[in-house]
Amino acid sequence: MQDVYIAIIILWAFLFMYAIAGSIDFGAGFWAMYYRKRTDTKAASIANRYLSPSWEVTNVFLVLLVVALVSFFPGAAATLGTLMIVPFCLVLFLLTIRSAFMVYSYSVQKYTNMLVIISGITGLLIPALLISILPAAIGGFVEVVGDRQYVLIDQLFTSPTFYTHLGFGLSTELFLSALLLSDYAKEAGSEETYHVYRRNAIILGPITLSFAVGAILTLIPEAFWMFENMANEWLLFTLSLLAFSIGYSALWWPTKKFGVGRPRVAVLLIALQFGLASFAYGSAHMPYFLYPDVTIYDAFTNEVMFHLLLIGYGIGMAILIPVFIWFWRLFMKDKRYLKQESTH
Amino acid sequence: MDNVMLARMIFGTSIAFHIIFATLGVGITLMILVAEIMRIIRKDEDYGTLAKRWTKGVAILLGVAIPSGTIVAVMLSLLWPGFMEIVGQVIALPFQVEIFAFFLEALFLSIYIYAADRLSPTMRIVSVFFVALGATASAVLITNAHAWMNTPRGFDLVNGQVANVNPLAAVNNPSFYVTSLHVVGSAYMTGAFVLASVAAYKLFRGGLTEREVTYHRKGLTLSLAIGLIMSVYTMNNGHDTAIMLHEHIPVKLAAAEGLFETQANAPLAIMGTPDPEAGRVVGGIEIPGMLSWLATGSTDGVVRGLYDYPQDEWPPLFVHTLFNVMVGIGSALFGLAVIFWALWFFRRKTNKPYPKWLLAGLVASGPLAMIGIETGWIFSCTGRQPWTIYGIQRTSEAATNSGNLGMLFFLFVSLYVVLLVLTGLVMHYYFNRNPVSKELQIMS
Ligand code: HDD
Ligand code: HEM
Ligand code: HEM
């Protein structure tokens, strides 16, 4: 395989990891807000407990993604950066407020209510802003005047594909986080909460699927080239649909604990589905970063740098994976953490 | 205002904001590690209490360091796309390795904070050790990129295209070792003096029980032990940094010292304003031969002056003041620490309280150290002007040509102001609500 494809696959893998971790993180923020007034379930406190130790790590994934983009594809980073300066800066702005309040409320209980609202609202806005980059990158929304490039904001906002992408991003986020939280609640032994999140997942599954189909169909008038490429990826899309169906059905599989549903299986299969579909979407996008000006070949770094980076990622991952596993056990598995009564 | 100026303002403010929290993140985690070790050596739970309370503070500070760092990292690509195109091809390694340092720090910090009650004492030390290691490594790695901007190596620019790339030569650039040692040393120094400030403030205000006085004295001596070592080290290593400038970026040293004529027996000018018409520093104190002696080891050494360079390659001349402030603060803090230890030595048999004037000086030491960090960095970055990559890429070539920067400047500055105020309030509120007297009582 050509180096440039190895690079783009690694980049996709990081994007995928951040998309999953971020969805769950931001989604948990939304659910904590949504259920903050309910005293009959632990839905809010379970979401918060998941959130507390995880946001810092999720944030590093974002930085990882940006650094990988700049170092593998310096040319693309420059163009994307110039075009996306406003949405990116808004994301940074919101992210900072969110993270700061996360720590404030851990130290001062007085802020907890405000935190919950801030992290709920930013939990919807940040992914929405991030996903708006996708339709902008399929082209047709960029105008070049002299040596300056502009995003045609008005055309972007009036195009249906923008809204289907947006709907897809938000529903995926809420769907994935509801699934994970149902699993987390099950691990914590909270039956009530488990059923709350399971029901949310059941409702959101079909909505997510419809938005996905809608996003693809609305691409036809905007970017026919991409639609054609997608048709060639039919196998991946079919597999993805299959993973979705099995994963979704796992919510009804019988189990001993709480009677119905295997959320762990569902989370893994839906993540797989998401991975397959995003890989297919990405492949259809190739070789363009930004249609029609920036291709991955133009933007690629040099071979020497590429090989050193590859070695770097190898060594780094080998050192970090054991720490990740320890981390996972401390916060996802350890009953003493999951079951504590007071929330921090 | 033009785009380049706005981009510089946005980036400068953002990074000046990040550095406050980042430096403390590096410096205070070292102090926590030292306290955890002292607790085992001395078998004294007071050090455990110090470590616990400092950790509380650091958790809040890093909570702002992390998102503000994310801001600067992303802004680097947004505001300086021309610069990042070269960075991506030549000096991507430190940025990449830094990610792993961040992971290390974030993971172990969460473990140390949220799982402290489930860790054995050894595992606690191991966790803080990795937090401190991760923080220090982030500082060293980012300084690697910064040092490369000052002394770029490992590539050629052929018709505007990057060629003959050697990433390891870029990493191994000549100013890296001395600069990163200076950055880490000054960060440790700042962490120590900030904590000394807090303890000195408590002792200065008075109204403490016997027990609290003992506790705060332990905090003060521990901080000033590290503070003294690090200030000696930072001054010494700052001298090496100046020699590095003399060898590699003489124009920056000339601007720092306000030296216009290339000469042997060059004088050291303290304060005053460099005047390009007069060709010398007006209103300052001059020590003849001193600059030559500092830079070359002999008063006969020749030091290059600004007139050797075309005027459009001069950095802004106010960097002279920034440099003087940094060096002045370094000397003052060293002096304070020496006085403290001298007093400590002569009074070690008695139990007299420290004199008020000394405590007052120590209260000021933390903020002063922070000013040292800010002026040092702004000196280093502004002193590089008009270059972003010294001798290779001008700042105007690095900058974005996107519109909307004015609005973004306003947005981010207000964000920083709000966060500074809120972080202060949160700290104040938390430590007032949980005074150390409560923790000391529970222990005894
Ligand atoms: C508490 C902070 C502090 C203190 C007391 C000092 N420094 Fe410093 N200095 C820094 C904090 C700092 C810094 C913020 O960390 C800088 C900015 C960039 C860098 O490499 O380190 C720096 C840069 C810096 C540079 C420029 C390096 C460059 O541009 O590449 C020189 C020549 C010195 N220092 C020299 C000194 C001397 C002779 C000192 C004697 C007392 C001194 N510093 C004290
Ligand atoms: C020498 C000056 C600097 C020092 C000492 C420093 C140190 C630190 C520290 C201690 C943290 C907290 C890390 C954590 O807990 O994960 C941090 C965060 C961060 N810094 Fe800086 N930093 C400096 C300059 C910069 C610069 C110039 C950049 C941008 C290129 C940058 C990018 C970041 C990023 C992206 C983060 C967030 C990492 C995360 O998500 O955890 N830093 N920095
Ligand atoms: C952390 C403390 C730092 C502070 C307070 C700081 C401050 C500044 C300031 C004030 C400017 C604007 C300069 C001017 O226009 O006069 C600037 C520019 C810049 N700095 Fe730094 N800086 C810091 C560290 C770094 C580091 C570690 C890097 C390396 C990655 C870096 C990279 C840059 C770049 C790329 C620019 C823009 C281009 C230029 O003006 O040359 N800075 N910085």
Side-chain angles (χ1 to χ4, degrees):
Chain A
M1 193 170 357
Q2 263 178 297
D3 282 348
V4 58
Y5 281 102
I6 300 182
I8 194 81
I9 288 174
I10 296 179
L11 196 63
W12 165 80
F14 290 157
L15 179 67
F16 173 64
M17 282 192 255
Y18 182 64
I20 298 279
S23 290
I24 292 171
D25 198 69
F26 296 126
F30 174 80
W31 294 120
M33 174 177 83
Y34 191 77
Y35 290 114
R36 74 184 186 284
K37 292 264 164 65
R38 292 264 298 265
T39 45
D40 54 328
T41 94
K42 288 207 208 124
S45 75
I46 290 262
N48 266 329
R49 193 166 311 153
Y50 171 79
L51 216 49
S52 304
S54 72
W55 72 266
E56 292 178 43
V57 178
T58 309
N59 193 67
V60 188
F61 275 107
L62 174 63
V63 182
L64 176 68
L65 186 60
V66 173
V67 169
L69 176 66
V70 172
S71 50
F72 283 146
F73 298 101
T79 321
L80 272 178
T82 311
L83 281 179
M84 302 297 167
I85 193 162
V86 174
F88 270 132
C89 280
L90 288 177
V91 167
L92 291 172
F93 181 82
L94 296 170
L95 207 58
T96 306
I97 295 185
R98 181 172 197 263
S99 316
F101 269 88
M102 213 77 93
V103 243
Y104 293 162
S105 81
Y106 178 70
S107 302
V108 182
Q109 305 304 324
K110 192 169 75 173
Y111 285 112
T112 304
N113 202 32
M114 206 186 333
L115 162 79
V116 166
I117 292 174
I118 285 180
S119 91
I121 296 172
T122 51
L124 290 183
L125 289 177
I126 295 171
L129 281 165
L130 287 174
I131 199 101
S132 71
I133 290 163
L134 276 186
I138 56 176
F141 300 112
V142 177
E143 190 184 35
V144 181
V145 182
D147 62 351
R148 295 205 175 195
Q149 294 165 315
Y150 296 93
V151 178
L152 301 169
I153 302 277
D154 48 335
Q155 281 191 28
L156 188 61
F157 280 172
T158 51
S159 90
T161 196
F162 177 75
Y163 292 98
T164 47
H165 273 84
L166 201 64
F168 172 68
L170 291 180
S171 56
T172 311
E173 172 201 348
L174 296 177
F175 179 44
L176 272 174
S177 55
L179 274 176
L180 187 106
L181 288 172
S182 68
D183 185 32
Y184 202 62
K186 194 167 179 181
E187 200 71 50
S190 170
E191 178 158 8
E192 280 263 351
T193 312
Y194 166 68
H195 285 296
V196 170
Y197 284 119
R198 174 176 170 269
R199 204 197 55 224
N200 290 336
I202 289 176
I203 299 171
L204 283 161
I207 299 181
T208 309
L209 192 65
S210 338
F211 269 119
V213 175
I216 294 176
L217 292 182
T218 48
L219 269 182
I220 300 175
E222 305 287 352
F224 193 68
W225 64 274
M226 180 138 175
F227 183 72
E228 279 182 323
N229 285 349
M230 279 184 161
N232 292 332
E233 305 290 344
W234 64 270
L235 182 63
L236 283 177
F237 280 115
T238 316
L239 285 176
S240 139
L241 202 63
L242 200 67
F244 177 85
S245 320
I246 303 175
Y248 191 60
S249 76
L251 288 171
W252 283 274
W253 294 1
T255 47
K256 279 200 270 335
K257 197 174 180 185
F258 306 160
V260 60
R262 301 281 292 269
R264 179 67 50 87
V265 179
V267 172
L268 292 177
L269 278 170
I270 298 295
L272 177 70
Q273 175 263 328
F274 190 66
L276 288 166
S278 66
F279 191 81
Y281 184 98
S283 314
H285 211 290
M286 288 301 103
Y288 299 103
F289 257 114
L290 204 65
Y291 185 81
D293 301 314
V294 189
T295 68
I296 55 173
Y297 306 108
D298 312 331
F300 190 51
T301 188
N302 54 72
E303 298 287 311
V304 191
M305 183 54 92
F306 173 72
H307 288 121
L308 281 171
L309 288 171
L310 216 52
I311 296 171
Y313 283 122
I315 299 176
M317 289 299 171
I319 296 174
L320 276 179
I321 285 173
V323 187
F324 269 113
I325 294 174
W326 187 32
F327 187 79
W328 169 266
R329 287 171 174 259
L330 274 175
F331 295 112
M332 301 291 174
K333 285 265 162 217
D334 194 325
K335 296 283 183 289
R336 282 173 298 173
Y337 181 73
L338 289 173
K339 293 216 169 130
Q340 57 186 292
E341 280 310 311
S342 71
T343 50
H344 278 301
Chain B
M1 203 177 300
D2 73 333
N3 244 30
V4 180
M5 193 60 204
L6 271 170
R8 288 160 71 177
M9 281 163 58
I10 298 179
F11 194 73
T13 340
S14 299
I15 200 152
F17 178 76
H18 175 61
I19 195 67
I20 300 175
F21 300 90
T23 302
L24 293 175
V26 175
I28 299 182
T29 43
L30 176 84
M31 293 299 298
I32 297 172
L33 181 62
V34 174
E36 286 272 6
I37 294 172
M38 282 298 278
R39 168 201 199 179
I40 291 186
I41 297 177
R42 289 277 176 93
K43 303 209 170 30
D44 182 345
E45 267 312 309
D46 277 4
Y47 290 105
T49 311
L50 282 171
K52 209 153 84 199
R53 294 176 68 80
W54 291 345
T55 306
K56 251 313 181 185
V58 145
I60 300 174
L61 293 172
L62 284 179
V64 185
I66 291 172
S68 64
T70 312
I71 291 185
V72 279
V74 180
M75 272 191 180
L76 221 44
S77 308
L78 298 176
L79 296 175
W80 313 106
F83 171 63
M84 286 317 264
E85 263 195 270
I86 302 185
V87 165
Q89 299 178 66
V90 184
I91 187 92
L93 285 177
F95 286 97
Q96 182 207 25
V97 180
E98 192 181 20
I99 299 285
F100 296 114
F102 287 149
F103 267 125
L104 209 62
E105 188 177 353
L107 286 166
F108 279 101
L109 188 72
S110 295
I111 290 172
Y112 185 66
I113 292 177
Y114 293 97
D117 43 341
R118 287 178 283 149
L119 296 180
S120 68
T122 332
M123 275 330 273
R124 282 176 59 119
I125 293 217
V126 170
S127 308
V128 210
F129 171 76
F130 278 109
V131 177
L133 183 74
T136 301
S138 346
V140 170
L141 288 159
I142 195 67
T143 306
N144 183 239
H146 171 77
W148 172 84
M149 293 165 70
N150 281 327
T151 51
R153 293 292 184 279
F155 71 110
D156 296 311
L157 215 54
V158 183
N159 301 331
Q161 297 294 319
V162 174
N164 305 332
V165 174
N166 181 349
L168 295 179
V171 167
N172 203 11
N173 67 75
S175 63
F176 170 44
Y177 298 98
V178 68
T179 308
S180 57
L181 288 171
H182 193 57
V183 168
V184 171
S186 60
Y188 288 161
M189 173 179 165
T190 305
F193 277 107
V194 165
L195 295 176
S197 260
V198 174
Y201 174 71
K202 296 283 179 191
L203 293 170
F204 181 84
R205 219 181 35 173
L208 303 173
T209 63
E210 195 88 351
R211 185 77 188 76
E212 284 164 23
V213 169
T214 333
Y215 168 84
H216 287 303
R217 281 186 155 214
K218 282 177 197 160
L220 190 65
T221 38
L222 188 63
S223 314
L224 284 175
I226 303 290
L228 179 68
I229 299 171
M230 289 304 161
S231 50
V232 173
Y233 173 79
T234 302
M235 277 173 63
N236 183 38
N237 165 276
H239 177 205
D240 296 343
T241 316
I243 294 175
M244 179 279 292
L245 289 189
H246 169 69
E247 282 164 9
H248 296 285
I249 327 173
V251 63
K252 201 187 221 177
L253 186 65
E257 297 294 355
L259 186 73
F260 290 91
E261 304 276 4
T262 299
Q263 53 185 284
N265 208 2
L268 185 75
I270 300 170
M271 295 321 282
T273 332
D275 182 346
E277 311 287 272
R280 59 185 207 89
V281 173
V282 289
I285 307 164
E286 284 197 353
I287 311 177
M290 190 69 175
L291 178 57
S292 285
W293 187 71
L294 283 176
T296 66
S298 134
T299 47
D300 299 332
V302 176
V303 181
R304 288 182 74 181
L306 286 165
Y307 288 153
D308 273 13
Y309 298 84
Q311 196 154 0
D312 76 327
E313 287 184 17
W314 290 7
L317 295 180
F318 66 82
V319 298
H320 173 64
T321 311
L322 296 174
F323 183 71
N324 279 181
V325 170
M326 169 180 68
V327 177
I329 288 174
S331 320
L333 295 188
F334 166 72
L336 266 173
V338 169
I339 297 174
F340 172 85
W341 283 108
L343 259 158
W344 179 90
F345 182 77
F346 290 118
R347 295 181 170 186
R348 67 192 184 287
K349 299 273 156 54
T350 67
N351 204 8
K352 272 211 273 182
Y354 298 113
K356 284 268 177 185
W357 56 266
L358 179 61
L359 289 176
L362 288 172
V363 172
S365 70
L368 280 177
M370 208 67 238
I371 295 173
I373 293 284
E374 294 281 358
T375 48
W377 274 110
I378 299 172
F379 160 58
S380 188
C381 270
T382 303
R384 193 183 55 236
Q385 300 307 315
W387 304 101
T388 290
I389 305 175
Y390 181 67
I392 292 188
Q393 185 180 51
R394 283 180 183 259
T395 307
S396 53
E397 298 160 336
T400 177
N401 51 16
S402 145
N404 308 77
L405 294 187
M407 178 215 43
L408 292 176
F409 178 67
F410 184 72
L411 188 73
F412 280 100
V413 170
S414 16
L415 175 68
Y416 301 145
V417 172
V418 170
L419 287 185
L420 267 182
V421 174
L422 271 182
T423 310
L425 284 178
V426 167
M427 290 263 184
H428 180 80
Y429 186 85
Y430 176 80
F431 286 106
N432 262 0
R433 261 304 183 71
N434 305 278
V436 70
S437 51
K438 250 192 340 205
E439 277 173 61
L440 294 175
Q441 249 162 24
I442 295 168
M443 266 165 37
S444 50

